[in-house]
Amino acid sequence: MEASSSAAAQEPENGSEEKKPQKQTSRFSNLQNIRQKKQQLLLLPMSKKLQRLAMYSKCQEQNCDCIGWKRPVKTENPPAPEFDDPCRCGHLLELHVSHLRAKPEETINWLLGMASDVDMVQAAMSKQKNPETRKVYLYIFTVLRNSVLTLEKPVVDGPVGQPPFEKPSIQKAVTNLLVYKYSHIGQELKTMYELVKLLFHCLNTWDFPAPSSQKYLVSPEEASLYTIEYTRWLIFCHIPTFCDSLPHYETTQVFGRRLLRAVFKYIRKQMMDQFHKERDSMSPEKKIMLLNHFPPFLNQLDEEIYSPNSPIWDPEFKAQPITFPLESGKGNRSSVCLRKGEPERVSGSGGEKSAASTTSVSPGKTVKSSDSQRDAKRRKLAPEEVFEDLPRETVEQITSIIDDPNYMSGTDVFSENSAATDEAPKNEEKNGIIQLHLIGNSLTQPVSKQVMLWLIGLKNVFSHQLPRMPEEYITLLLFDPKHRTIALVKNNQPIGGICFRPFFTQGFTEIVFCALISREQIKGYGTHMMNHLKDYHVSKGIYHCLTYADKEAIGYFERQGFSDHIKLNASVYQGYIKEYEAATLMHCELNPKIIYTQATNVLQRQKKFIKQLICQQQKTVSKVHPGITFFKDGVKSIPVESIPGLEETGYKPATRVTRGQLLEESQDIDTLANMLKTVLNAVKNHEASWPFRLPVIKADVKDYYDHIKYPMDLKTMTERLKAKYYVSRRLFIADMMRIFTNCKIYNAPETPYYECAVTLQHYFQTRMKELGLWDK
């Protein structure tokens, strides 16, 4: 067989022992040369194309079995063949191409490209030393050769099957890992995506070792499975990179866990070896990404690949954030949806005992959640505090007094009996004068005409009330399907609204616009809208609201519970929230136990109750006691409960624990272990703990143990706690502080690892102080 392309001989040998990544550059240049030469073949005149195809075409003479023109005698540097040159079968070259002359040029070019691929596969096959790989190349050579001969499209049949071979794919599973483990780290998620892209590139372009030379396989079963996967990879992913007559598939899209389990350790070692060799030539940013960020990510992926219960390989995997935010609202979030094109009615309880909130769901159905049911759901979010209950008779007596329409108590009558700021809007909503609707645009479902009219009306409201905000920008966000708006509608016209964008995976929502038309301001509508917004987000499991407020709006947001003290970690919202100049970032943390549309009524009622209780208590203890004379006798301090008459009011001193008692070691090792376990679990679940959860692997960070003589990590501490190693809290504190000290020694202050150590150390000390286990 005469090869038509000398570049085919340059195709690198696959399956050699420990193929090194640095050979990939030459490989890609070779593939580029192959494609260039194939393009040159297509530029030949038709006569030259037919002469080349004669070598792969069956002789058309009757009863002749020759399947390709060949010279009768081999000679060195033979001249180009002509149509009247004889073949070994005794017939002219013309008889090998006569059936092709009537074919269109597109067909001739397609056959010529496939013939070129036959030559390249044959040349690559001749270089293969591994018998397993040679068999695969021989099979592909036969398929392509027969396709040229029969003028049919090459089809790969047989026991190897057709892609995709496993679900979920490698690409889907690793993407699931990002959501599962890293969705809480905010802007740093971009770095993780870059690392994932690098991993995908390596898996899609680097060569895998032949089964017989794969030293990471430890059992015959693994070797057998890898042989199948390796054969599939050669046929559908590797060979098609230089033989475009065959369909090409990306490795990460058609293979799943089986192949990744077999080659991950190999690919990981090759990548890290390559990065360490090139570290001196890397930029500082690239060095941090590849040598600092990549190893922990590979460690995490390694754990998920070989874990028997990892959720990222579940075909039905759904994005569920870890650690942050609280996960109590997931069920509501997934089950509630709008009718197609219709607004979601936002209905408050109005403070009545029988009130119910109504949410529209799938067409024809309505779900009503009573306040008692809602309270039950909220109670599950946090443990109930224990209070000393008043006698039922006392509660009923005071309740009857404060429910009396003529109730008045003390001099603070105005503040007690005046209506709450949102009382009038709640009554208007109850009487149907105003309505609140949750509306938004959609690109996938029809949007009703009414919703579009409300959106247009709100655009005009926001544009008029926010003159410094460009109208185009307001329109862009208001009609963006990712944004939603609570519209306050009066007489079927929107008079105000709050436009927001929820970030479910991050656990916060961004309030973008909030405005009311001028004539409807100072009527409590703003508070009423905000309370509905808070209740809506609590029902969806979101407990943090962020917004940028200008000078005029800061007062309003402060009255709604917002503060410029941001309790969220910056990594949670940076890169997500839109930033504005000359504006203040404000934050409001929602309490899942509170129904905000009822809060003002509840607070008023509680205030009345407490004041009436005080009045009754004053009547029973109304007595004048003599003054305190202790200090005249030289006593510098006294217990509070020794003040005359204080105990008669019902005062009970809190149980005091001296500092010495707090620091005294527990005599019960099980009690101490339980307290330390609480702290350790809290530290492990903190969002800044990811660099310290597992020991540092020397293969990934080769010089780590040259600098760190006494390593420590959270996994080792967990094992020590189970083994009852921590017989005193001081041993526990020493190990935990060693983690932070080691990190600060090895990493520069500007690295994310150093920042995590500072954050986690502060959190650890806080938790220890809460349990009375800290004396520093």
Side-chain angles (χ1 to χ4, degrees):
M1 181 68 65
E2 296 187 8
S4 60
S5 174
S6 59
Q10 299 176 5
E11 165 61 18
E13 176 186 349
N14 184 273
S16 60
E17 292 290 333
E18 294 294 326
K19 173 97 38 203
K20 298 300 181 183
Q22 53 265 34
K23 294 185 179 180
Q24 299 303 315
T25 303
S26 60
R27 174 192 171 191
F28 289 135
S29 62
N30 290 339
L31 298 181
Q32 187 176 7
N33 292 335
I34 290 171
R35 294 189 178 96
Q36 290 177 351
K37 290 184 178 294
K38 291 181 73 171
Q39 290 296 323
Q40 293 174 2
L41 290 176
L42 301 181
L43 298 177
L44 294 174
M46 181 58 69
S47 59
K48 296 296 184 182
K49 293 178 181 179
L50 292 175
Q51 289 169 357
R52 286 183 175 272
L53 285 176
M55 303 174 186
Y56 310 93
S57 302
K58 187 179 185 305
C59 181
Q60 300 300 304
E61 184 69 24
Q62 191 173 6
N63 298 326
C64 183
D65 297 329
C66 180
I67 60 172
W69 183 87
K70 300 179 184 64
R71 297 180 185 276
V73 180
K74 287 187 177 182
T75 57
E76 294 185 3
N77 301 321
E82 301 293 339
F83 291 104
D84 56 356
D85 287 347
C87 175
R88 291 181 185 178
C89 66
H91 303 112
L92 299 180
L93 182 148
E94 175 64 28
L95 288 175
H96 284 267
V97 297
S98 58
H99 62 296
L100 299 177
R101 289 192 177 275
K103 301 293 182 182
E105 186 173 6
E106 291 182 0
T107 302
I108 298 300
N109 289 341
W110 170 64
L111 291 172
L112 190 62
M114 193 154 47
S116 178
D117 287 344
V118 171
D119 288 339
M120 282 185 278
V121 172
Q122 184 185 32
M125 179 175 59
S126 65
K127 294 177 64 65
Q128 297 301 321
K129 298 179 181 179
N130 188 282
E132 301 163 320
T133 309
R134 279 185 64 89
K135 288 181 181 179
V136 178
Y137 274 83
L138 178 60
Y139 169 72
I140 295 298
F141 171 81
T142 304
V143 169
L144 292 174
R145 185 70 179 82
N146 290 338
S147 296
V148 178
L149 196 65
T150 59
L151 310 184
E152 296 177 350
K153 186 177 180 179
V155 177
V156 177
D157 293 321
V160 293
Q162 293 293 321
F165 302 109
E166 192 176 3
K167 290 184 178 181
S169 65
I170 296 172
Q171 180 170 313
K172 180 65 169 63
V174 176
T175 304
N176 291 346
L177 175 63
L178 284 185
V179 176
Y180 178 56
K181 289 292 188 182
Y182 299 101
S183 63
H184 62 289
I185 63 175
Q187 193 171 17
E188 294 180 19
L189 193 61
K190 297 178 181 179
T191 302
M192 305 308 298
Y193 274 119
E194 293 300 319
L195 298 178
V196 168
K197 285 169 58 179
L198 175 61
L199 175 66
F200 287 167
H201 175 75
C202 294
L203 291 172
N204 287 327
T205 58
W206 285 8
D207 294 344
F208 298 151
S212 59
S213 62
Q214 171 59 298
K215 64 182 181 181
Y216 293 99
L217 302 178
V218 296
S219 68
E221 181 181 2
E222 288 182 355
S224 177
L225 290 174
Y226 179 58
T227 299
I228 298 173
E229 299 295 282
Y230 177 75
T231 301
R232 290 169 170 171
W233 170 76
L234 279 176
I235 294 173
F236 294 100
C237 301
H238 176 69
I239 296 178
T241 58
F242 60 91
C243 292
D244 54 15
S245 300
L246 298 170
H248 175 258
Y249 298 90
E250 295 288 359
T251 303
T252 56
Q253 294 180 358
V254 297
F255 288 95
R257 193 176 192 176
R258 287 192 300 268
L259 178 65
L260 192 57
R261 271 186 166 180
V263 302
F264 180 73
K265 294 185 182 298
Y266 170 83
I267 287 291
R268 174 179 178 171
K269 181 179 185 303
Q270 300 302 319
M271 286 192 298
M272 295 312 302
D273 288 349
Q274 179 79 356
F275 297 154
H276 282 288
K277 288 180 181 179
E278 298 176 354
R279 64 184 303 171
D280 294 336
S281 61
M282 293 180 185
S283 64
E285 295 79 8
K286 187 175 182 181
K287 185 182 296 185
I288 291 174
M289 184 176 72
L290 297 183
L291 300 182
N292 290 6
H293 293 295
F294 208 20
F297 171 72
L298 293 178
N299 290 342
Q300 186 64 68
L301 181 57
D302 183 285
E303 181 178 331
E304 300 300 326
I305 291 173
Y306 299 101
S307 170
N309 301 316
S310 174
I312 70 171
W313 301 99
D314 184 356
E316 304 299 326
F317 176 87
K318 294 182 180 179
Q320 294 183 350
I322 58 169
T323 303
F324 182 89
L326 298 176
E327 300 182 355
S328 56
K330 289 175 186 172
N332 293 337
R333 185 184 315 151
S334 60
S335 63
V336 176
C337 60
L338 297 180
R339 296 180 182 177
K340 292 186 177 180
E342 295 297 326
E344 181 177 352
R345 180 69 177 272
V346 183
S347 177
S349 59
E352 298 183 6
K353 295 180 180 179
S354 60
S357 58
T358 304
T359 304
S360 299
V361 288
S362 56
K365 298 180 181 179
T366 300
V367 174
K368 292 188 177 181
S369 176
S370 67
D371 294 341
S372 60
Q373 292 173 331
R374 187 178 183 187
D375 289 340
K377 290 181 180 179
R378 291 169 183 246
R379 282 195 294 268
K380 294 178 181 179
L381 300 177
E384 288 293 331
E385 299 178 48
V386 179
F387 299 98
E388 182 179 351
D389 290 334
L390 293 170
R392 176 174 295 183
E393 296 77 11
T394 304
V395 174
E396 292 176 350
Q397 179 188 5
I398 296 178
T399 301
S400 63
I401 294 175
I402 65 176
D403 286 342
D404 186 345
N406 299 319
Y407 164 75
M408 295 180 67
S409 176
T411 58
D412 192 17
V413 176
F414 178 80
S415 62
E416 284 189 16
N417 293 340
S418 59
T421 55
D422 62 339
E423 189 64 26
K426 285 194 288 189
N427 290 332
E428 290 184 9
E429 183 183 6
K430 180 180 177 181
N431 297 325
I433 300 174
I434 62 172
Q435 304 91 36
L436 288 101
H437 298 275
L438 180 64
I439 61 176
N441 195 13
S442 175
L443 299 179
T444 59
Q445 296 179 350
V447 180
S448 71
K449 181 179 179 180
Q450 182 63 79
V451 170
M452 295 304 296
L453 290 174
W454 284 341
L455 286 172
I456 293 171
L458 283 173
K459 188 264 293 183
N460 296 331
V461 172
F462 291 146
S463 299
H464 182 74
Q465 298 299 133
L466 306 171
R468 287 182 291 180
M469 196 69 67
E471 186 173 350
E472 296 80 3
Y473 182 71
I474 293 175
T475 304
L476 175 67
L477 298 187
L478 190 61
F479 286 85
D480 177 14
K482 296 179 181 178
H483 289 69
R484 298 181 181 181
T485 303
I486 288 183
L488 178 60
V489 178
K490 190 173 185 178
N491 298 326
N492 205 32
Q493 295 293 327
I495 62 172
I498 301 178
C499 179
F500 61 95
R501 179 178 177 182
F503 294 91
F504 291 107
T505 59
Q506 300 303 107
F508 77 92
T509 199
E510 174 192 10
I511 297 175
V512 184
F513 307 123
C514 178
L516 273 167
I517 60 176
S518 301
R519 68 175 183 273
E520 300 291 354
Q521 294 179 4
I522 320 179
K523 295 183 179 181
Y525 288 141
T527 299
H528 192 50
M529 286 193 303
M530 186 61 71
N531 286 339
H532 273 295
L533 180 79
K534 293 176 179 178
D535 280 347
Y536 171 79
H537 283 92
V538 169
S539 71
K540 302 298 182 183
I542 295 180
Y543 306 112
H544 299 272
C545 296
L546 292 172
T547 188
Y548 271 95
D550 57 25
K551 293 181 180 179
E552 291 77 10
I554 289 178
Y556 164 76
F557 282 106
E558 286 179 340
R559 291 191 295 273
Q560 307 308 318
F562 284 75
S563 168
D564 58 3
H565 176 60
I566 313 301
K567 297 181 181 179
L568 282 175
N569 191 305
S571 63
V572 173
Y573 59 84
Q574 283 182 349
Y576 292 89
I577 189 171
K578 294 173 279 294
E579 299 183 3
Y580 299 91
E581 295 181 357
T584 302
L585 181 62
M586 305 190 75
H587 170 236
C588 178
E589 183 175 6
L590 305 181
N591 189 326
K593 288 185 175 183
I594 297 176
I595 301 176
Y596 287 91
T597 47
Q598 297 180 14
T600 53
N601 297 86
V602 172
L603 289 174
Q604 265 194 338
R605 191 172 177 81
Q606 287 177 341
K607 183 178 179 181
K608 291 179 181 180
F609 190 99
I610 293 173
K611 190 156 189 178
Q612 184 62 31
L613 185 64
I614 293 174
C615 289
Q616 291 190 1
Q617 191 72 9
Q618 284 176 339
K619 293 178 182 178
T620 62
V621 298
S622 180
K623 182 180 179 181
V624 178
H625 293 269
I628 299 175
T629 60
F630 301 98
F631 303 112
K632 294 181 180 179
D633 299 332
V635 178
K636 294 184 178 180
S637 63
I638 61 171
V640 175
E641 56 270 20
S642 65
I643 297 176
L646 189 61
E647 290 186 356
E648 298 176 27
T649 65
Y651 171 78
K652 294 181 179 179
T655 302
R656 297 185 180 181
V657 181
T658 64
R659 183 173 180 82
Q661 291 172 327
L662 284 175
L663 303 180
E664 189 174 294
E665 300 295 351
S666 173
Q667 299 301 315
D668 185 355
I669 192 170
D670 292 330
T671 301
L672 177 64
N674 289 333
M675 297 175 71
L676 298 181
K677 182 179 179 181
T678 301
V679 175
L680 184 58
N681 287 338
V683 170
K684 289 195 295 184
N685 290 330
H686 193 275
E687 60 187 21
S689 68
W690 60 269
F692 317 112
R693 292 171 184 166
L694 298 172
V696 176
I697 298 177
K698 187 175 182 180
D700 296 336
V701 190
K702 293 187 175 180
D703 63 338
Y704 182 82
Y705 292 97
D706 296 335
H707 302 279
I708 304 303
K709 302 301 181 183
Y710 304 100
M712 184 52 59
D713 59 278
L714 296 176
K715 181 181 179 182
T716 301
M717 290 190 65
T718 302
E719 294 171 351
R720 286 188 170 188
L721 185 61
K722 290 180 180 178
K724 297 185 178 181
Y725 166 83
Y726 298 116
V727 295
S728 75
R729 62 183 177 83
R730 298 185 185 278
L731 286 175
F732 182 79
I733 293 174
D735 277 355
M736 186 68 75
M737 297 304 293
R738 185 178 298 158
I739 293 177
F740 308 135
T741 303
N742 290 345
C743 179
K744 294 175 182 178
I745 291 174
Y746 186 78
N747 299 284
E750 63 272 10
T751 62
Y753 297 97
Y754 194 101
E755 182 180 348
C756 286
V758 174
T759 301
L760 198 61
Q761 180 178 344
H762 178 72
Y763 178 75
F764 165 68
Q765 292 174 353
T766 301
R767 293 308 302 264
M768 292 290 283
K769 289 176 182 177
E770 290 175 354
L771 295 178
L773 296 174
W774 189 261
D775 61 345
K776 296 184 179 181

